[in-house]
Structures are given as structure tokens and as C-alpha cells.
Amino acid sequence: MTEQDRVTVNDPHGPVNNGVGSQYVFYGVGADWMIRKGIEPLRIVREDRVRLADRFVPPLGYRVAADRLEKPGSVVLLEAPPGSGRRAAAIMLLHRLGEDGGADEAGVRFEELPTTDKDETPLAPGDGDRFLLDLSGIADEEAYAKEQRRLAVRRSQVQEAGAHMVVVLPSGMEHAHAPDLEPHTVTLGRPRGVAVVTRYLRMDRMAFRPADLGSAGLQRLCDRSPMRELARLAGLVRAARDSGRFGTDFAGWLDQAMHAVTDRAGEVGQQVAAVRTAPERALLLATAVFEEARADTVYEAWHGLMKTVRHQEEATSELARTDFGERLAALGIERDPDERLRFGRLAYADAVRTYFWANFPGMRDDLRDWIDDAAGLRGLTTDDRVNVVVRFGERALAVGRPDHLFDLVVRWADSATGASCDPRAVAALELGLSHERFGGWFRRRMYECVRSGLLSDGLVRVLTAACLQSLGATHPDQAMVRLHYLAVRKGEAAREAREALIDLASRDRRLYRVLIDRLRDRTRREPRGAEPHLHLLTELLGSERTPEPPPWPDLFLGWETVFSQPPTELWNPLVSSWLNAVAGDSTREMALGVMVGATHGRTAALHRLYAIACDWAGPARHPSRTAVATHFWEHIDHAQYARTESAKRAGAGPRTTEEAR
């Protein structure tokens, strides 16, 4: 998507009709999908749209919006209350365009547009492209007025290109809507809550009867709760079933889930009020953050937390104190046969973490410092570490402290040794980037970092991994910009960024073209610092990096820039790669003429190409190479002849290539 969704597509301030909690894929750390609650991720890659489509219940007004969006060049603006599923509805409108029920056509973009970002690339939509613009998080009239001006430009571009765009409007800002938005606006209602819960339960293969969902308590939840909470409720029913700890019937699982969403906050509050000592409260929190880790590891984390908050240990020996098992039992913490700790009640750990971050704000800096150390404890598996990162990140973002999460990204990345990339840092950064409310904050923070000269190799690697694995899927243009800054640095980490940048661009013809244009622009605007950009451009233009079929106009422009520089060692591998490509595939023969044309007949450049071809053909003159080189020389002679004739008409005559031979 540009400086620019994995499912659970939520609303910044009002949750949406989506999946069970939030889902993350941490590509760089070897973990599978993890179900989390309370974070609003920002990815709309295809597999997540498909999953969302299976669970989506259309709200009132959806059909009207869908009919309007069908026409090429259409723009639909959605007005709906928070919690009604407005963002999910926007994504489904775009996903279900056309008769194929959402199957993407080759080359068609499906991207989320950013709100204002400094390094945004031009939109340049194409026929059939689909764009989402979510303005629902805007609460400031001045900012909204600015976004509406940008929206007018984007709307015009979408209409002219025959693309499609859906815009989610901010709630409570109706008085600030520009009059010209009215004809494009559709008001959405709220889906039936019980239908949403039913859909999710069915998709989880849950066996139940409609009468099982008829309780008054559940009906109240379905009528009042945001769509995210209903999705979470269904997810907790599944979690209760899968745990094997809460009976074998649907009624029992549903009862546990209902208690989890309605009673847990009060239960935690009562327990914390009853537990007055720092060690017990610290153990409660440590277990909530490290739930499912081994008991010895939780013990270490617990003591680390007490040290971080500067609690003084008792003067007596450990033998004289209450033992660890007794402390756990008193707090309702269970130890399973594998020595892993968990709470006996469903979703209790989530509620404990929420309580402490909300009610002990003065501890948040200490909690960040504690996680910095504790997430590296030796007894943790990779999955344990990622769980800890996600649990901390959820809470930090929920209380509006994205800086705490990014602080840990930098600390962990800077402490990495050798060529390693710290999985905790990658997981934390991907979590931030996927967040609905703070994703833009993390993208801007990355932008500030890559423009800075003060980056460790470890941080370069983490930023590179996040660009390639996360940001590249959601905001490819922005990933490309950040990778470009990293790629022109020096060192091995920068080389890895160059590989990631070229790999990202080579996957997509549009990105390939955009990167060629960006590198050409840098070589022109920064002549003194052009060399790293020229190196990148030359590597990008090699035959093995080019999308299929080769985009000849784009290659021409790139070769034109390379061949306008003084002959350097960069030319040899570039030209040789294409001579090899032509020798192996005659359909690429057009490269010969395009390369020669990119010299614009400059004598020195033509001589250079001729010499490279001679070296490539070699003294043995293998028949296949000789044929390609001969054809290349013919193009060179023709260009030289044309230049000679032109020069004669102007009263001058340069040497021919035949003379140079």
C-alpha cells in the first residue's frame, strides 16, 4: 500500500466485525498465527480478507454501498457509528467487487492509503485498482479539513483511472463534512449482534442450537457490544472448548466466555485490593505476562520485577519465607504437569495485565525496563518470548505509549550480536506497524530512523526485516522508501537492505518502475552523492532482477541514466547479464536495441558497449555468444551510422565503430 492488512480489521476507536481478537504473523521469528485481543491490526492482504469474508455479516446499508461501488471510477464514503463494523464493511466492499466474489486479478492493487506522511509516493491508480482510506481516527477539525482536500485530489485520480475507493469517515464530525461529499456518502447501520456471534461460532465448527444463544445476558451483549467484543466472545468460547478444562458441552463453554467478558475486570480489581503486599502483586503481574512459561522462569521474572520497582527483599532467608508454591496457590495460579503456570479462570491473565497498566500508570516506565531484561530470560522459548512481547505491546499501545514499544525495538536490536536479527525486536515492530491507531506513528518513526545516520547494524537488520516482511505487504511504497535509505549505507547490514529492496521491487512491475524513477531522480539531484544510488540502479536493471515480461520502457530510462555517467566498472556486469539473457532466451533480444538506444548515440558510450561485448564473446567465440555479440554490434553500428549522418549534416564527422575495431 503506499508509505503505506492481516485480518482482524478493526476500527481505531470502535471495533469492527472481524476475527477473534487480533491476529499477527511474525514472519521473522518462526511463530504461527497468534490470537490476541485489544489490538487493531492494519493489514488487508488477501488471505485475511478471505478469512474476514467467511465471518462477515453485512450491516444495514451495505447493499446500497456495494451497488454504488460497482461502477469503475467510483468512490464511496461510509458514515457509521464506532463499533458497527465500518472498517470491515469497507474492506468487504472492495474485496467482493466483481463477479468473481473477491478473487484478485493479476496486477490489480488492493491497498490502504495513508493519511498524511512526509515521504508518500504519488497514488498513480490503474484500472480496477482498489483503495481503502480510513479517516475514522481523526478527531480534529483542522486535520479533517486537510484530509478532505487530499481526498478531493485522490477522488479525481481514482475516477479518471477507473479504480475504486472506499473511505471510512470519522464519527462525530458530520458538521465538518464538505458539501461535495454528500452524494458519495452511504450511512451504515449495525449488524445483528447475535448473527455475528452465530457466524463466528459456525466458522469455528462449534455445535450448538439457536436456543443456546437465547439467554438475556447474551442478548444484552449482542445488542450493546462493539463488533470486536462479540468476535472476542466467540473466540473465548472456542478457547474454552480447546483448553479441555471447562467441561465438554457448549453451554459450559459459553458460560465461561460470558464470565470472561463481563466479570473479569471486577474480579481482578477485588483480588488486587485484597492482595496488599508488593511481592504478591508482583507475582500476579509476572504470571499474567509470562503465563504458560515454566515455573522457574516465572520465578526469575517475578524477582526481576521486584528489583526493577526497587522492592527490598525480606532480610530472612528464603527457607523462612512463604514458599513459591503456596504463594501461587493463594493467588489462584495453577502449575501443570509440565511445570508451566496459568490462571484457573479463562482470560484472567488478560484482565490482570489490563488492570495493572490502567491503574498503575507510574509503573509503566519500570514495566518497560523489566520487559527489556525479562524477555531475554534463558528459560524462554522463542514462542514464549514473542508472547511476552505481544502482551507487553498490547498494553503499551492500549494506554497510548507506542514509544515504550519502540524503545524496546531499539534496545533489543542494538544488543544483537554478529549478523543476527533479534526476533523480539522484529515482533515488537511488526506489532506496532499492524496497529490501527498507531501504525502510522511507527511508520513515521521508522522513517525518522532510516534518515538518521546513527543506526546500529542490528537496528538496520530489524528495520529491513520489518520492511520486507510486514510493511512491504501493507504499504509497499513506504517500505521501498525506508529500504532505500538503509540500502545506501555502508556495511554488511546495508547490503542485506539492498537485497531486500531489490527483491521487493522485482516482485511488482509498478514498484519496479517507481524505484527506477526514484533512483534516477537521486542521481540527478545529488550528483556528489550519486554513486550509491547509481550502484543500486545498476543492480536493479540486471536481467536476473527484471520482472517478466521485461518492462522495456522502464529499462530504457534506467539504462539511459547509467549510460549517461562516465564509463565505470558498473557497466560490465549490467551489459553482460543481458547478453547472457539474450543468449539463453531469444525472446529477450529486444534488450540489445534498447540498451544501444539508451546511449542516444554517444560515441564514447557506444565504444564502451562494443568493448564489453567483445570481452563477453571471448577469444574462443562460442557460436551462441558470437551470434548475440554480432547482433549487438549491428545495433551499435546502426546507431553510430545514424549519428555520423546527423553529424555530417551538421558539418562534422566522428569516428565510426568500424574504425574503432
Side-chain angles (χ1 to χ4, degrees), residues 591-654:
L592 305 179
V594 176
M595 274 195 293
V596 172
T599 67
H600 294 286
R602 289 188 296 275
T603 302
L606 291 173
H607 288 178
R608 179 72 172 174
L609 293 184
Y610 175 78
I612 292 172
C614 286
D615 291 340
W616 175 80
R621 297 299 175 104
H622 188 278
S624 63
R625 288 200 168 203
T626 300
V628 172
T630 300
H631 196 184
F632 194 37
W633 292 328
E634 289 171 356
H635 281 288
I636 295 171
D637 283 340
H638 179 76
Q640 187 75 316
Y641 176 77
R643 183 176 179 86
T644 299
E645 290 302 305
S646 176
K648 284 180 179 178
R649 287 193 294 271

Side-chain angles (χ1 to χ4, degrees), residues 112 136 160 168 180 205 246 290 298 420 481 509 602 628 630 640 643:
E112 175 157 9
S136 60
E160 290 177 6
V168 183
D180 61 337
R205 294 188 172 90
F246 302 104
F290 287 81
V298 177
S420 63
V481 168
R509 298 174 70 84
R602 289 188 296 275
V628 172
T630 300
Q640 187 75 316
R643 183 176 179 86

Side-chain angles (χ1 to χ4, degrees), residues 177-494:
H177 291 346
D180 61 337
L181 298 183
E182 189 61 34
H184 305 278
T185 302
V186 176
T187 300
L188 298 183
R190 172 189 171 87
R192 288 182 59 241
V194 70
V196 172
V197 173
T198 299
R199 184 97 174 182
Y200 280 105
L201 293 174
R202 295 293 188 208
M203 292 307 299
D204 287 331
R205 294 188 172 90
M206 197 74 66
F208 64 96
R209 299 164 301 172
D212 293 333
L213 303 181
S215 72
L218 179 59
Q219 193 60 54
R220 282 194 297 273
L221 280 176
C222 289
D223 290 342
R224 302 172 185 176
S225 298
M227 295 300 108
R228 179 182 64 232
E229 287 303 310
L230 297 183
R232 179 175 177 247
L233 173 66
L236 288 170
V237 176
R238 185 190 65 224
R241 177 196 65 184
D242 294 347
S243 73
R245 295 189 291 133
F246 302 104
T248 58
D249 64 291
F250 178 81
W253 303 329
L254 178 60
D255 182 64
Q256 286 292 327
M258 292 277 291
H259 280 296
V261 298
T262 58
D263 301 334
R264 290 294 178 258
E267 291 171 357
V268 171
Q270 291 173 7
Q271 183 176 25
V272 175
V275 176
R276 307 303 298 181
T277 67
E280 273 62 38
R281 287 182 172 181
L283 180 55
L284 192 66
L285 178 56
T287 305
V289 174
F290 287 81
E291 189 178 37
E292 300 296 344
R294 296 183 66 82
D296 286 354
T297 305
V298 177
Y299 181 89
E300 286 187 71
W302 169 45
H303 278 272
L305 175 56
M306 288 193 290
K307 181 178 179 181
T308 302
V309 299
R310 294 165 292 281
H311 174 73
Q312 297 295 322
E313 288 279 2
E314 297 176 38
T316 59
S317 71
E318 186 167 4
L319 281 174
R321 305 174 204 158
T322 304
D323 69 58
F324 188 50
E326 187 178 345
R327 291 178 188 267
L328 294 175
L331 294 172
I333 300 168
E334 300 175 351
R335 184 171 5 197
D336 71 13
D338 293 329
E339 288 292 308
R340 294 185 176 274
L341 300 187
R342 66 188 178 203
F343 288 94
R345 284 172 280 188
L346 183 67
Y348 198 79
D350 284 347
V352 170
R353 296 192 297 268
T354 299
Y355 185 90
F356 274 93
W357 256 269
N359 294 290
F360 293 86
M363 282 181 57
R364 291 173 188 163
D365 288 349
D366 288 335
L367 293 176
R368 174 201 57 200
D369 296 340
W370 169 55
I371 294 296
D372 180 14
D373 291 328
L377 291 173
R378 287 175 298 176
L380 296 172
T381 66
T382 298
D383 284 348
D384 289 337
R385 296 182 202 279
V386 173
N387 280 334
V388 170
V389 170
V390 171
R391 290 164 183 168
F392 170 80
E394 286 175 347
R395 293 301 95 220
L397 296 174
V399 298
R401 295 305 304 265
D403 55 310
H404 277 182
L405 191 56
F406 198 83
D407 283 350
L408 294 183
V409 171
V410 175
R411 293 184 192 185
W412 289 330
D414 287 349
S415 64
T417 57
S420 63
C421 186
D422 194 300
R424 298 170 301 173
V426 176
L429 186 50
E430 290 189 348
L431 177 62
L433 289 170
S434 72
H435 194 267
E436 177 70 28
R437 180 181 173 194
F438 290 112
W441 186 95
F442 279 88
R443 296 194 301 275
R444 286 189 294 274
R445 191 70 185 87
M446 286 177 67
Y447 183 63
E448 294 166 1
C449 275
V450 299
R451 295 191 66 188
S452 165
L454 304 175
L455 295 180
S456 68
D457 281 356
L459 185 53
V460 170
R461 289 189 170 95
V462 167
L463 295 172
T464 296
C467 284
L468 187 61
Q469 299 163 179
S470 180
L471 196 59
T474 63
H475 300 72
D477 293 74
Q478 295 186 13
M480 183 184 67
V481 168
R482 284 147 185 73
L483 285 172
H484 183 193
Y485 278 107
L486 296 173
V488 295
R489 298 166 61 89
K490 295 180 180 180
E492 179 62 21

Side-chain angles (χ1 to χ4, degrees), residues 467-652:
C467 284
L468 187 61
Q469 299 163 179
S470 180
L471 196 59
T474 63
H475 300 72
D477 293 74
Q478 295 186 13
M480 183 184 67
V481 168
R482 284 147 185 73
L483 285 172
H484 183 193
Y485 278 107
L486 296 173
V488 295
R489 298 166 61 89
K490 295 180 180 180
E492 179 62 21
R495 186 196 63 76
E496 295 167 14
R498 285 195 294 276
E499 282 294 319
L501 173 61
I502 293 172
D503 180 57
L504 178 68
S506 299
R507 301 177 195 170
D508 184 284
R509 298 174 70 84
R510 183 189 65 84
L511 283 180
Y512 190 78
R513 179 178 64 251
V514 170
L515 183 54
I516 287 176
D517 291 343
R518 181 179 176 86
L519 293 171
R520 292 176 66 236
D521 179 65
R522 290 301 186 276
T523 59
R524 288 194 299 265
R525 289 199 292 116
E526 305 171 15
R528 292 184 178 179
E531 185 175 348
H533 305 291
L534 192 60
H535 274 76
L536 262 174
L537 178 60
T538 306
E539 190 171 353
L540 181 68
L541 295 171
S543 63
E544 66 281 0
R545 304 291 197 172
T546 307
E548 284 291 345
W552 300 116
D554 303 326
L555 291 171
F556 174 86
L557 293 174
W559 288 334
E560 179 184 55
T561 299
V562 173
F563 296 154
S564 68
Q565 306 298 319
T568 71
E569 69 281 358
L570 296 178
W571 291 35
N572 296 60
L574 173 60
V575 175
S576 295
S577 76
W578 280 98
L579 294 175
N580 286 328
V582 175
D585 182 359
S586 60
T587 63
R588 292 193 160 202
E589 192 173 287
M590 190 173 179
L592 305 179
V594 176
M595 274 195 293
V596 172
T599 67
H600 294 286
R602 289 188 296 275
T603 302
L606 291 173
H607 288 178
R608 179 72 172 174
L609 293 184
Y610 175 78
I612 292 172
C614 286
D615 291 340
W616 175 80
R621 297 299 175 104
H622 188 278
S624 63
R625 288 200 168 203
T626 300
V628 172
T630 300
H631 196 184
F632 194 37
W633 292 328
E634 289 171 356
H635 281 288
I636 295 171
D637 283 340
H638 179 76
Q640 187 75 316
Y641 176 77
R643 183 176 179 86
T644 299
E645 290 302 305
S646 176
K648 284 180 179 178
R649 287 193 294 271

Side-chain angles (χ1 to χ4, degrees), residues 150-162:
R150 299 174 76 238
L151 173 58
V153 175
R154 287 168 161 171
R155 204 174 77 205
S156 175
Q157 292 173 317
V158 166
Q159 290 169 340
E160 290 177 6

